[in-house]
């Protein structure tokens, strides 16, 4: 739970580009993995709150509209409820509503990925049991954390979210966990923490996908393909536009069902897309790092994962804040973050940016006002600070750019940035805007796709895949560290 302004429907619609496809019928229940009652746990985590908790003896149905802010035990970061949400309470162990089985269970990183994790899941609005059992042995989940509960959304789009944060984990370690409460547990799932900072033997892998929108069959197939093979990604990045309209919880239910194969085994980090629409349903259902501007928390952030510095940006703020966020507050933060990342290249040699609208694409949106504004505002900054790779969505295709400077001109010798559009995970595919790639394009293909990225201290390799598992050979990239 975080601090954001929920948007009115008119504001939500103003964030969207024209939609070509109707939203398919959406189930109100994403389903759940079979519960298991194996394992035991002892308390290892607590929470320090600025608000009174609804304990086991409290009123589980109290219409608590007051904000909730607390620091999970052992953590340095705070967790805050969203304005406009209700039932903002600290969870307990024993209060269950009519549909308490956890759904859409997933993990993400709210802070340092080598030592923290956030667990997020859904239940009915009356369930207050918010327990996580975890450990390094799937048959002995011997540690426990309690989370918090919040309900938000409009009418039939309402969703109740449980969120629990754990800190002090061991780096480079696989943990197993289940969430819920006694008699109502999720299936046991897993995640892996990042390697400890400062090593010289990093060898990490992650996946990238984006723009699922409303084709949940293709979306599920992409995620099943992501987890195939002997080398599992450590985590996955999503480049935005998960659903056709971010306020529709039924669509989110289908999206989470489609993502279940990969969310059961790895954390996810999300870039906000225009179709996600800054909706409260989007903001509530993912737990990501916060920045100092509360109304923009978790929409832009950064973290180090092994040899890669990842910076996530939001290129679709509220229209009346557009300059303040893209060319103002966010730009100031971005420059400060990239200044630190550039100074730390000896320890973390690669810098990768993630945001939704590509600065350099050849498809439907390459000349639109908002895309051009992002291009002219951010691309020169990427060039100035030596960003190695930028990952985008929005254009429903795969595209690799040439090595570019901040004006979109080709350069060589590791002096420029490579841009990749990875946005074919279900949304209707796009063709070239003018029948031919733009001058900055190295390779374009209108195809369902996802990426695998492998990084060590000496090389960052990007391999794009089609849905059938074949490699897009002309889209492969291999980068060495920039000269110091």
């Amino acid at each position: 739970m975080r601090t954001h302004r929920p948007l009115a429907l008119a504001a939500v619609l103003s964030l969207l580009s024209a939609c070509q496809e109707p939203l398919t019928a959406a189930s109100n229940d994403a389903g759940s993995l079979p519960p298991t009652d194996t394992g035991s746990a002892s308390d290892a985590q607590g929470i320090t709150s600025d608000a009174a908790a609804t304990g086991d003896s409290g009123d589980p149905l109290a219409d608590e509209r007051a904000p909730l802010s607390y620091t999970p035990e052992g953590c340095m970061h705070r967790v805050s409820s969203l304005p406009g949400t209700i039932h903002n309470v600290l969870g307990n162990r024993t209060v269950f509503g009519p549909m308490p089985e956890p759904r859409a269970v997933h993990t993400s990183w709210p802070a340092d990925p080598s030592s923290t994790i956030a667990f997020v899941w859904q239940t009915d609005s009356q369930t207050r049991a918010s327990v996580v059992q975890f450990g390094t042995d799937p048959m002995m989940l011997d540690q426990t954390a309690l989370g918090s509960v919040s309900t938000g959304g409009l009418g039939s789009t309402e969703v109740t979210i449980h969120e629990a944060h754990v800190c002090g984990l061991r780096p480079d370690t696989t943990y197993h966990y289940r969430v819920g409460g006694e008699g109502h547990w999720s299936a046991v799932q897993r995640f892996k923490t990042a390697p400890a900072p400062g090593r010289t033997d990093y060898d990490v892998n992650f996946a990238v996908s984006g723009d699922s929108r409303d084709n949940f069959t293709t979306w599920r197939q992409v995620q099943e393909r992501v987890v195939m093979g002997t080398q599992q990604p450590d985590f996955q990045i999503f480049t935005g536009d998960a659903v056709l309209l971010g306020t529709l919880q039924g669509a989110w239910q289908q999206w989470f069902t489609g993502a279940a194969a990969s969310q059961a085994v790895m954390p996810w980090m999300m870039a906000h897309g225009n179709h996600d629409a800054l909706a409260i349903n989007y903001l509530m259902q993912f737990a990501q790092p916060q920045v100092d501007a509360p109304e923009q928390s978790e929409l832009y952030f950064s973290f180090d994962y092994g040899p890669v510095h990842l910076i996530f940006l939001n290129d679709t703020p509220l229209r009346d804040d557009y300059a303040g966020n893209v060319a103002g507050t966010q730009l100031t933060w971005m420059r400060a973050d990239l200044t630190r990342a550039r100074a730390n290249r000896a320890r973390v040699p690669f810098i990768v940016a993630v945001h939704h609208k590509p600065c350099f694409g050849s498809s439907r949106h390459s000349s639109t006002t908002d895309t051009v504004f992002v291009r002219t505002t951010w691309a020169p900054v990427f060039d100035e600070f030596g960003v190695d790779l930028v990952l985008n969505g929005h254009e429903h295709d795969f595209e690799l750019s040439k090595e570019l400077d901040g004006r979109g001109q080709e350069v060589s010798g590791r002096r420029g940035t490579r841009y990749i559009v990875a946005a074919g995970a279900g949304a209707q595919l796009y063709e070239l805007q003018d029948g031919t790639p733009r001058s900055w394009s190295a390779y374009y293909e209108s195809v369902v796709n996802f990426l695998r990225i492998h990084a060590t201290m000496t090389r960052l390799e990007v391999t794009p895949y089609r849905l059938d598992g074949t490699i897009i050979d002309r889209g492969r990239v291999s980068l060495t560290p920039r000269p110091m």
Side-chain angles (χ1 to χ4, degrees):
M1 296 182 292
R2 281 72 60 189
T3 51
H4 288 283
R5 294 173 293 174
L7 299 185
L9 181 59
V12 170
L13 293 174
S14 75
L15 295 173
L16 304 181
S17 54
C19 301
Q20 290 75 40
E21 314 89 16
L23 183 68
T24 55
S27 166
N28 289 325
D29 187 351
S32 61
L33 296 168
T36 171
D37 289 306
T38 60
S40 60
S42 59
D43 286 337
Q45 297 284 332
I47 44 183
T48 302
S49 173
D50 294 339
T54 298
D56 289 347
S57 61
D59 178 5
L61 304 181
D63 188 8
E64 177 58 72
R65 296 177 183 272
L68 174 68
S69 182
Y70 69 95
T71 301
E73 183 176 327
C75 296
M76 301 296 291
H77 64 275
R78 297 188 67 76
V79 181
S80 300
S81 56
L82 286 161
T85 56
I86 60 175
H87 306 316
N88 297 310
V89 295
L90 299 181
N92 59 43
R93 296 174 178 275
T94 59
V95 176
F96 298 98
M99 298 179 62
E101 275 67 34
R103 302 182 297 276
V105 181
H106 60 284
T107 57
S108 56
W109 290 304
D112 179 2
S114 69
S115 61
T116 68
I117 199 70
F119 307 89
V120 181
W121 69 98
Q122 304 172 20
T123 67
D124 65 87
S125 63
Q126 299 177 34
T127 293
R128 296 289 178 269
S130 300
V131 184
V132 178
Q133 294 180 341
F134 64 99
T136 56
D137 183 340
M139 301 305 295
M140 187 178 295
L141 306 179
D142 55 359
Q143 299 180 72
T144 301
L146 296 180
S148 55
V149 190
S150 188
T151 297
L154 303 173
S156 63
T157 73
E158 184 179 273
V159 62
T160 294
I161 295 298
H162 300 249
E163 184 174 318
H165 293 226
V166 173
C167 300
L169 300 172
R170 297 205 304 260
D172 202 18
T173 300
T174 297
Y175 285 87
H176 304 266
Y177 70 95
R178 63 179 184 173
V179 303
E182 196 60 40
H184 302 284
W185 295 110
S186 70
V188 176
Q189 300 188 169
R190 70 176 188 266
F191 67 91
K192 183 181 179 183
T193 52
R199 288 169 50 174
T200 59
D201 60 345
Y202 290 126
D203 192 322
V204 303
N205 296 272
F206 56 96
V208 182
S209 63
D211 287 79
S212 41
R213 290 269 292 268
D214 56 349
N215 187 336
F216 300 112
T217 298
T218 298
W219 171 236
R220 174 183 55 78
Q221 292 169 342
V222 168
Q223 291 309 305
E224 290 172 349
R225 178 65 68 176
V226 164
V227 298
M228 288 183 182
T230 57
Q231 181 61 64
Q232 292 282 304
D234 301 318
F235 64 100
Q236 187 166 171
I237 288 170
F238 189 78
T239 60
D241 278 7
V243 297
L244 187 58
L245 180 59
T247 58
L248 301 180
Q249 187 57 32
W252 282 110
Q253 301 300 112
Q254 294 192 76
W255 186 86
F256 278 111
T257 298
S262 57
Q263 290 189 334
V265 297
M266 68 184 77
W268 278 58
M269 302 302 287
M270 305 286 290
H272 174 260
N274 57 299
H275 280 261
D276 302 320
L278 292 173
I280 196 168
N281 303 70
Y282 170 86
L283 299 170
M284 288 180 66
Q285 292 184 99
F286 302 98
Q288 304 190 129
Q290 298 183 358
V291 295
D292 293 334
E295 74 281 1
Q296 298 168 44
S297 280
E298 300 183 71
L299 293 171
Y300 56 89
F301 52 87
S302 69
F303 60 92
D304 293 339
Y305 193 99
V308 183
H309 179 76
L310 286 153
I311 175 170
F312 286 68
L313 303 168
N314 175 34
D315 51 33
T316 312
L318 283 170
R319 292 303 187 195
D320 56 359
D321 302 356
Y322 200 84
N325 283 328
V326 171
T329 305
Q330 187 172 183
L331 181 61
T332 300
W333 174 87
M334 182 200 311
R335 294 184 68 88
D337 182 83
L338 291 177
T339 297
R340 291 188 294 269
R342 181 173 60 182
N344 195 37
R345 276 197 187 272
R347 299 176 71 246
V348 183
F350 297 104
I351 302 175
V352 176
V354 186
H355 63 94
H356 185 59
K357 299 174 182 177
C359 296
F360 300 105
S362 297
S363 189
R364 184 171 302 184
H365 301 296
S366 63
S367 299
T368 57
T369 301
D370 52 353
T371 300
V372 172
F373 185 65
V374 171
R375 179 187 308 149
T376 56
T377 305
W378 287 354
V381 180
F382 296 152
D383 186 47
E384 176 184 353
F385 289 95
V387 172
D388 299 286
L389 178 67
V390 179
L391 302 171
N392 301 121
H394 201 45
E395 306 280 20
H396 306 160
D397 49 48
F398 170 83
E399 188 166 11
L400 168 68
S401 80
K402 299 172 182 175
E403 187 176 354
L404 303 175
D405 66 13
R407 300 170 301 163
Q409 301 298 310
E410 185 176 8
V411 295
S412 60
R414 291 294 286 116
R415 294 184 295 117
T417 302
R418 303 300 289 266
Y419 293 78
I420 293 180
V421 175
Q428 180 181 14
L429 295 175
Y430 290 168
E431 299 296 337
L432 291 167
Q433 185 176 41
D434 301 315
T436 185
R438 302 290 292 268
S439 62
W440 50 60
S441 181
Y443 182 72
Y444 168 93
E445 187 172 331
S446 181
V447 65
V448 176
N449 68 87
F450 65 94
L451 311 179
R452 286 181 178 268
I453 298 180
H454 174 228
T456 67
M457 287 292 288
T458 60
R459 192 167 297 276
L460 186 146
E461 299 174 318
V462 182
T463 305
Y465 289 85
R466 303 178 183 90
L467 182 57
D468 63 7
T470 58
I471 293 173
I472 305 174
D473 284 310
R474 293 178 60 188
R476 301 182 77 159
V477 176
S478 183
L479 302 176
T480 56
R482 289 189 181 224
M484 299 293 292

